[in-house]
Amino acid sequence: MGGCLILECLVLLHWCERNGFGPLGITGLSMGGHMASLAATNWPKPIVLVPCLSWSTASTVFTTGVMSQSINWDMLETQYFSDGKYCERLSKMVTVIDDAFTAGQTFIKNFNQSLSELKQDIQDTSHAFGKNVISNKKDIKSFRNNNKAENYVFTNLMKHILPKSNQNAYENIGFMKTNWWEREALQFMRGIMDECTHLKNFSVPVDTSLIIVVCAKDDAYVPREGCSSLEDIWPGVEIRYLDAGHVSAYVLHQKLFRSCIIELFKKSITKLYEENKNSLQDVSSNLSYQQLLDRYAENCKN
């Protein structure tokens, strides 16, 4: 899916250039934000990029975020070990870029807090719509302890998140049992996702000063702990944090997303036309967009 989206974006960007449109930019929310980042890494020219509510890799979404509970890890592990040769070949094809063990420990340590933040996130969002999503106080209970042999975490709040097909099977998953992060299936999932989506595996965008990343401080869907920072991968990038969770940021703060997009396009225009003292209208009538891009590229070299 990511590969197809990158190719489609390249087609659209080339089409825009051929028709004289510009400056060009890409944005997206959540998974769309990460896809926008992947597309921008494959564009060989300066481009505006505003990824919202995403991070450096998609692997943590499915291995340490709340979405990880929607995966039947027992079934995945059974399938993974069903063919020894197949398992061995797959293991050699993927590499875990960040320390999954540390990420697992961090997730366990902060799991209760993440669920509390998620609960508050949903309450804030429902309040914005004037509705009560969580109708029963029992729905915010975050821990259920059985015996010491099997200690797992599940919350009734997950009923608002998990597909119905998985809600009845969670007890068989044993997801939160001791040292769950050492499970082969989880390591394999992390490797697959890092291999395909980690931004370390892609080129750095041409001009990182034209990137603003918008993140939610209390994002339980897209954990940032235990994985590479975007500041390290893309030196010069600007990251802005919202005091919100994943859901409430999406519902309540889209105005900020739009303001970041507008800000960067203005910055891009300034950089494109900084040498020309005439009005924007005069410049656009005298120079083609490709000439402006060439001039901007030359300025970057100097």
Side-chain angles (χ1 to χ4, degrees):
M1 181 179 65
C4 289
L5 184 136
I6 290 171
L7 292 174
E8 289 173 353
C9 281
L10 293 178
V11 170
L12 291 171
L13 291 171
H14 281 297
W15 180 87
C16 288
E17 275 200 337
R18 287 198 303 270
N19 286 275
F21 296 110
L24 303 178
I26 314 176
T27 187
L29 291 165
S30 193
M31 182 172 68
H34 194 75
M35 293 295 180
S37 296
L38 292 176
T41 63
N42 283 266
W43 185 245
K45 302 171 185 177
I47 189 169
V48 168
L49 174 63
V50 184
C52 305
L53 310 180
S54 63
W55 198 234
S56 58
T57 178
S59 65
T60 54
V61 175
F62 299 101
T63 56
T64 62
V66 295
M67 287 294 291
S68 61
Q69 291 214 19
S70 66
I71 297 176
N72 189 331
W73 294 103
D74 284 345
M75 180 180 292
L76 181 61
E77 198 160 68
T78 300
Q79 294 174 339
Y80 179 68
F81 284 115
S82 61
D83 187 327
K85 293 183 179 180
Y86 182 65
C87 172
E88 183 180 357
R89 290 182 62 187
L90 286 176
S91 297
K92 293 179 180 179
M93 291 171 60
V94 300
T95 303
V96 175
I97 294 181
D98 296 310
D99 187 354
F101 179 81
T102 301
Q105 287 184 317
T106 303
F107 179 60
I108 293 293
K109 181 180 178 180
N110 299 326
F111 189 76
N112 277 341
Q113 180 182 352
S114 296
L115 286 180
S116 298
E117 292 164 352
L118 179 61
K119 177 207 69 176
Q120 187 62 46
D121 197 14
I122 294 177
Q123 288 178 330
D124 291 343
T125 305
S126 63
H127 178 71
F129 284 103
K131 297 179 180 179
N132 184 15
V133 174
I134 302 175
S135 59
N136 192 324
K137 290 184 178 180
K138 293 181 180 179
D139 286 346
I140 63 174
K141 184 178 180 182
S142 63
F143 256 99
R144 180 181 298 169
N145 294 320
N146 287 345
N147 52 50
K148 293 183 179 179
E150 180 176 352
N151 184 5
Y152 59 86
V153 177
F154 188 77
T155 172
N156 288 330
L157 182 60
M158 289 298 174
K159 293 178 181 177
H160 300 289
I161 302 171
L162 297 182
K164 289 184 178 179
S165 59
N166 286 315
Q167 288 181 15
N168 296 329
Y170 74 89
E171 290 187 5
N172 295 325
I173 297 176
F175 182 64
M176 300 307 298
K177 65 186 181 183
T178 304
N179 295 340
W180 66 269
W181 56 83
E182 295 177 339
R183 296 182 64 160
E184 286 281 343
L186 186 133
Q187 295 287 342
F188 171 66
M189 173 66 80
R190 178 125 190 178
I192 283 286
M193 297 304 295
D194 273 353
E195 189 75 21
C196 299
T197 71
H198 205 299
L199 294 176
K200 272 189 175 181
N201 289 330
F202 296 83
S203 302
V204 177
V206 174
D207 188 350
T208 56
S209 70
L210 295 179
I211 303 174
I212 295 178
V213 181
V214 184
C215 297
K217 288 182 179 178
D218 303 321
D219 198 327
Y221 285 85
V222 187
R224 294 183 297 275
E225 297 82 6
C227 54
S228 302
S229 170
L230 281 175
E231 292 102 330
D232 296 333
I233 300 175
W234 293 346
V237 69
E238 180 179 356
I239 301 178
R240 298 180 182 178
Y241 293 94
L242 285 167
D243 189 13
H246 193 85
V247 178
S248 58
Y250 169 74
V251 174
L252 304 176
H253 296 282
Q254 293 194 23
K255 183 177 180 180
L256 174 64
F257 302 153
R258 291 191 290 270
S259 68
C260 290
I261 295 169
I262 294 170
E263 177 184 336
L264 278 186
F265 270 109
K266 289 181 178 178
K267 183 177 183 179
S268 178
I269 290 172
T270 301
K271 297 189 89 170
L272 283 170
Y273 302 119
E274 60 185 0
E275 280 191 336
N276 200 300
K277 304 299 181 182
N278 299 323
S279 67
L280 184 60
Q281 184 177 358
D282 292 335
V283 172
S284 60
S285 62
N286 295 329
L287 293 174
S288 68
Y289 177 60
Q290 185 57 52
Q291 288 174 316
L292 289 170
L293 280 176
D294 293 340
R295 176 176 293 186
Y296 176 54
E298 187 64 31
N299 288 339
C300 291
K301 291 180 181 178
N302 297 333

